[in-house]
Amino acid sequence: MAAALADPHTKPMLIKVKDLKKIYSLGGEISVAALRGVGLEIEAGEFVAIMGPSGSGKSTLMQILGCLDKPTSGKYTLGGVDVGSLNDNELAEIRSLKIGFVFQQFNLLARTSALENVVLPLVYSGQAHQNEKAVEALAAVELSDRANHWPNQLSGGQQQRVAIARALVNNPDLILADEPTGALDTVAGGEILDLLSALNKEGKTIVLITHELYIAEQTRRIIKLRDGEIVSDHNNGERSKGGGPN
Amino acid sequence: MSLFLTIKIALRALAANKVRSALTMLGIIIGVGAVVAMVSIGAGASQSVSSSIQGLGSNLITVIPGSGGGGQGGARQALGSATNLTVKDGEAIEDNIATVVRVSAEYNDRAQVVYENNNINATINGVTPEYEKVRNTTVEVGRFITESDVGTSDRIAVIGKNVVEDLFAGADPIGKRVKIQDIPFTVVGILESKGGASFISSDDAIFVPLTTAQNRLFGVEHVSQLGVEISDSEAMDEAQDAIGWLLLGLHGVADPEEADFRLMNQQDILETVGEVTGIMTALLGGIAGISLLVGGIGIMNIMLVSVTERTREIGLRKAVGAKRKDILKQFLTESVILSLIGGLVGILLGVGGSRLAAAAMGSETVVTVNSMVLAFVFSAAIGIFFGIYPAVRASRLSPIDALKYE
Ligand SMILES: Nc1ncnc2c1ncn2[C@@H]1O[C@H](COP(=O)(O)OP(=O)(O)OP(=O)(O)O)[C@@H](O)[C@H]1O
Ligand SMILES: [Mg+2]
């Protein structure tokens, strides 16, 4: 699969996933296989869209890539670190230093200013110059003038931009966005997408889950999931209409 | 995360639900307030009782009659009513035991006292001049009973402060004539008030010469007690033993178990009273402590509700890098702040409440720094103890389950 991305000066793989399985047991005999053996490699600096029907395991995959959840089996290496061997604290550390999340529902803290929301990852990773960095991140999403507003005083698009600023503030290796435009209209969604594209151009690796083909088309690589398995993975340029397994 | 920031976040979370936080604190406020008030009222009562016991005289051994025959119950029944203790016993004690400074022989009983139209039933204390020193008594106006009063069984009386009120309605009683059991007495002095617990106060008593009480009023030969003053508190135990053996000899009793008298010293009484008031204080404090416990359970309850309500917040914090201990600290800080503020307000309320109660009941309260520090530390401990379970629960939430929580 990675061979499909014929990149001559191969950068080190940021993400390496082998035979990843996630089985949710709902107690008793009932269990749901959300991922049934996913293999995947993503280089640093890529902009990847993950698509697939509802329930195909996109969010599950992203949670595992984001170190929020552990796979039932399989191996996941992030930036050379075998994530499977880490404990809860080490996972929290990875999340705070290497990963930025953008959720469909924004997930900002209520009654907390935009600036304080953005500063949160820095607080937990205990970095220096927290306020300056947060101010900078807010400026990057063009919300400097709303720094002291609470989430309920911002539009949906603005809230999502605050969330992106929060995802950026740590200067993470990887930004994971789970349907970031899902709760927004096309204009606001377009702005968010432009923001993510710009970040990718600056060198950030971005993995984006979306249902919208026109959004996926803005990325450079589209991975399609169905029933917990990758059914297609190809560069955007050589995209064959209708998808299908590669 | 810095402590300052943790506290700031906790305060903001508490401020987001002001009424709820206040009501939760109320449980602790009432609990701590009750503990502080009860302990101070108890300590005050114990202090006033022991100071009035001390006011009865220092280095004092009291001899009271009691029929022989060992058994506690039997002896107790006869206490004070036996007739085998006499002035001679007192003289023997004073003459034979070196550490004895002086002995006050006393006979007391109740009698009807009349002045003009007023009529009271008062304690009549037949005493000698030694009483004044032995029992730490001071004459405020006039004079005390003298050697010659006793020698002539004179019909004079020295009265306590309350008697002036009750019998003379506050008028100057010096030189006035009162009738005790129809025998006229002249009032020659008034004693200074001792205050304190009235059951052992001299404020309500009328003092007459011992011989007058024995011969003219009550027709007895014996005394009801001997107050023995010892020169040095170090010598108390030794003196008490010496008095015991001397009286056994005088009364012809061989076996100390069969003694027809009892010896009590100030220290014993103080200890007994201290024990009783200590138990009372502990009991009151314990009952108040239960309300503190209930307050603590209230904190736990609210913190659990808060953890549930803020599950998504916890998930988000974890997603952006909060570790278990960060979440634990955050919720623990909230519960400790609740209980500490509750504790501080409770202390103020308890101090105020005990002052009010003291003013209303005319008793003393002793608010010790110790009891306040204890209450404060205790309320912090309550915050930690009852906060730990909700905080641990919050910290154990998996980030993804928490983020998905509805
Ligand atoms: N906590 C869970 N317990 C049990 N089953 C779960 C849990 N989370 C997800 N699943 C199941 O795993 C499968 C994949 O879910 P997932 O959320 O990854 O889908 P998705 O591709 O993100 O769908 P959507 O596009 O609707 O967001 C689904 O069948 C879902 O029911
Ligand atoms: Mg999803």
Side-chain angles (χ1 to χ4, degrees):
Chain A
M1 285 178 278
L5 312 151
D7 199 349
H9 37 269
T10 38
K11 296 178 199 163
M13 289 298 162
L14 180 64
I15 290 175
K16 269 193 197 174
V17 166
K18 251 186 90 178
D19 202 23
L20 205 65
K21 290 185 183 161
K22 178 72 185 181
I23 294 158
Y24 292 109
S25 66
L26 301 171
E29 302 284 283
I30 311 156
S31 62
V32 178
L35 295 176
R36 330 162 166 249
V38 170
L40 182 66
E41 294 193 340
I42 297 175
E43 280 176 24
E46 278 198 75
F47 191 1
V48 182
I50 296 178
M51 297 191 75
S54 187
S56 56
K58 305 182 296 291
S59 295
T60 305
L61 178 61
M62 201 201 78
Q63 286 152 17
I64 293 172
L65 294 182
C67 300
L68 287 169
D69 208 355
K70 290 177 176 174
T72 311
S73 70
K75 192 174 165 104
Y76 171 30
T77 319
L78 174 66
V81 180
D82 179 6
V83 173
S85 65
L86 303 181
N87 65 24
D88 278 3
N89 271 350
E90 291 163 329
L91 288 177
E93 204 151 288
I94 290 211
R95 289 197 296 271
S96 74
L97 294 175
K98 296 194 169 176
I99 299 169
F101 290 97
V102 183
F103 303 95
Q104 181 175 358
Q105 294 306 331
F106 322 138
N107 277 331
L108 299 177
L109 294 186
R111 289 184 295 270
T112 305
S113 74
L115 189 69
E116 281 171 303
N117 265 291
V118 173
V119 93
L120 209 56
L122 299 176
V123 165
Y124 287 118
S125 59
Q127 293 186 20
H129 308 297
Q130 299 185 349
N131 248 31
E132 290 91 320
K133 285 181 185 169
V135 166
E136 229 171 80
L138 268 183
V141 299
E142 289 170 13
L143 277 179
S144 300
D145 52 336
R146 301 296 162 95
N148 295 316
H149 289 220
W150 285 0
N152 62 357
Q153 298 164 331
L154 298 172
S155 74
Q158 288 169 333
Q159 289 184 56
Q160 193 61 303
R161 273 148 65 194
V162 173
I164 290 176
R166 182 181 63 195
L168 296 178
V169 75
N170 257 341
N171 193 21
D173 297 336
L174 176 63
I175 291 180
L176 296 169
D178 191 349
E179 299 188 45
T181 60
L184 303 175
D185 66 17
T186 38
V187 179
E191 284 175 13
I192 296 299
L193 201 64
D194 293 344
L195 212 60
L196 291 174
S197 298
L199 286 171
N200 174 248
K201 294 217 171 66
E202 288 166 24
K204 291 258 174 294
T205 314
I206 296 176
V207 177
L208 168 76
I209 293 176
T210 182
H211 278 126
E212 312 278 355
L213 193 60
Y214 80 93
I215 289 176
E217 277 170 345
Q218 313 247 339
T219 68
R220 299 200 305 220
R221 177 180 170 192
I222 300 178
I223 295 172
K224 288 194 173 163
L225 280 179
R226 178 170 293 139
D227 290 336
E229 281 171 309
I230 293 181
V231 292
S232 86
D233 179 351
H234 48 75
N235 263 353
N236 226 350
E238 54 198 64
R239 181 169 47 86
S240 58
K241 263 252 165 355
N246 54 337
Chain B
M1 180 159 29
S2 71
L3 183 65
F4 173 74
L5 203 63
T6 311
I7 290 174
K8 191 173 138 190
I9 291 173
L11 285 177
R12 181 180 301 169
L14 294 176
N17 277 304
K18 287 192 188 67
V19 175
R20 190 164 86 182
S21 302
L23 287 175
T24 311
M25 274 180 211
L26 197 58
I28 295 293
I29 291 172
I30 291 171
V32 169
V35 169
V36 170
M38 289 307 167
V39 169
S40 349
I41 290 171
S46 124
Q47 200 187 56
S48 82
V49 170
S50 52
S51 73
S52 47
I53 289 172
Q54 250 142 9
L56 297 181
S58 51
N59 296 347
L60 188 64
I61 294 173
T62 303
V63 187
I64 56 171
S67 63
Q72 281 277 1
R76 207 145 274 205
Q77 236 175 0
L79 275 190
S81 60
T83 57
N84 42 24
L85 203 62
T86 63
V87 175
K88 283 206 168 55
D89 290 328
E91 283 165 0
I93 291 169
E94 192 166 357
D95 293 344
N96 291 304
I97 297 167
T99 51
V100 170
V101 180
R102 53 179 78 79
V103 177
S104 160
E106 299 152 25
Y107 180 84
N108 47 53
D109 207 337
R110 296 188 75 83
Q112 208 63 27
V113 185
V114 182
Y115 173 72
E116 290 176 348
N117 291 328
N118 292 336
N119 185 332
I120 62 169
N121 188 275
T123 298
I124 310 298
N125 251 340
V127 299
T128 58
E130 282 80 9
Y131 182 94
E132 199 180 357
K133 289 253 165 60
V134 172
R135 301 288 188 189
N136 255 353
T137 315
T138 318
V139 173
E140 189 176 274
V141 184
R143 64 175 180 86
F144 199 66
I145 288 153
T146 62
E147 211 55 72
S148 73
D149 294 332
V150 177
T152 58
S153 303
D154 216 348
R155 295 189 311 262
I156 54 120
V158 177
I159 62 181
K161 210 63 187 187
N162 291 344
V163 178
V164 180
E165 289 300 318
D166 296 347
L167 206 56
F168 296 93
D172 180 13
I174 300 291
K176 299 278 172 16
R177 302 191 122 212
V178 295
K179 280 189 170 169
I180 304 175
Q181 287 188 352
D182 284 336
I183 302 171
F185 281 72
T186 307
V187 176
V188 297
I190 304 168
L191 294 183
E192 226 171 51
S193 173
K194 277 193 171 177
S198 61
F199 68 95
I200 38 174
S201 172
S202 56
D203 292 359
D204 292 312
I206 295 178
F207 296 82
V208 299
L210 175 63
T211 45
T212 316
Q214 284 179 321
N215 305 333
R216 293 187 190 246
L217 286 174
F218 303 110
V220 295
E221 303 263 290
H222 64 279
V223 298
S224 22
Q225 58 184 332
L226 298 171
V228 184
E229 187 185 332
I230 309 300
S231 59
D232 182 4
S233 60
E234 298 290 305
M236 290 290 278
D237 287 341
E238 206 182 308
Q240 189 164 337
D241 281 348
I243 294 168
W245 289 116
L246 178 68
L247 290 183
L248 285 175
L250 286 174
H251 294 194
V253 181
D255 181 4
E257 292 283 302
E258 303 279 307
D260 57 353
F261 58 88
R262 290 169 140 256
L263 299 174
M264 296 186 295
N265 75 44
Q266 209 72 325
Q267 216 49 44
D268 295 341
I269 299 173
L270 273 179
E271 272 164 24
T272 312
V273 169
E275 250 168 54
V276 171
T277 54
I279 290 170
M280 190 182 84
T281 305
L283 211 68
L284 289 175
I287 291 169
I290 290 172
S291 65
L292 195 50
L293 197 72
V294 173
I297 293 169
I299 286 192
M300 175 141 85
N301 187 18
I302 283 307
M303 290 313 294
L304 283 173
V305 170
S306 174
V307 168
T308 308
E309 274 181 1
R310 284 150 67 195
T311 301
R312 280 178 74 90
E313 176 194 327
I314 295 165
L316 187 269
R317 286 182 184 277
K318 286 197 151 189
V320 300
K323 297 184 176 141
R324 269 191 188 181
K325 66 165 199 287
D326 293 319
I327 303 293
L328 188 84
K329 257 198 295 187
Q330 186 186 331
F331 280 90
L332 210 51
T333 306
E334 275 181 40
S335 60
V336 170
I337 286 177
L338 275 180
S339 64
L340 277 189
I341 295 180
L344 278 179
V345 178
I347 287 173
L348 293 181
L349 216 72
V351 171
S354 66
R355 292 257 162 84
L356 269 181
M361 301 187 305
S363 67
E364 285 175 60
T365 59
V366 179
V367 182
T368 61
V369 176
N370 273 353
S371 74
M372 290 197 287
V373 170
L374 194 76
F376 193 71
V377 170
F378 198 54
S379 57
I382 288 255
I384 293 172
F385 183 79
F386 288 100
I388 200 110
Y389 173 65
V392 164
R393 251 175 71 149
S395 75
R396 291 233 174 110
L397 286 172
S398 107
I400 203 64
D401 289 346
L403 271 176
K404 281 185 176 173
Y405 182 84
E406 259 116 42

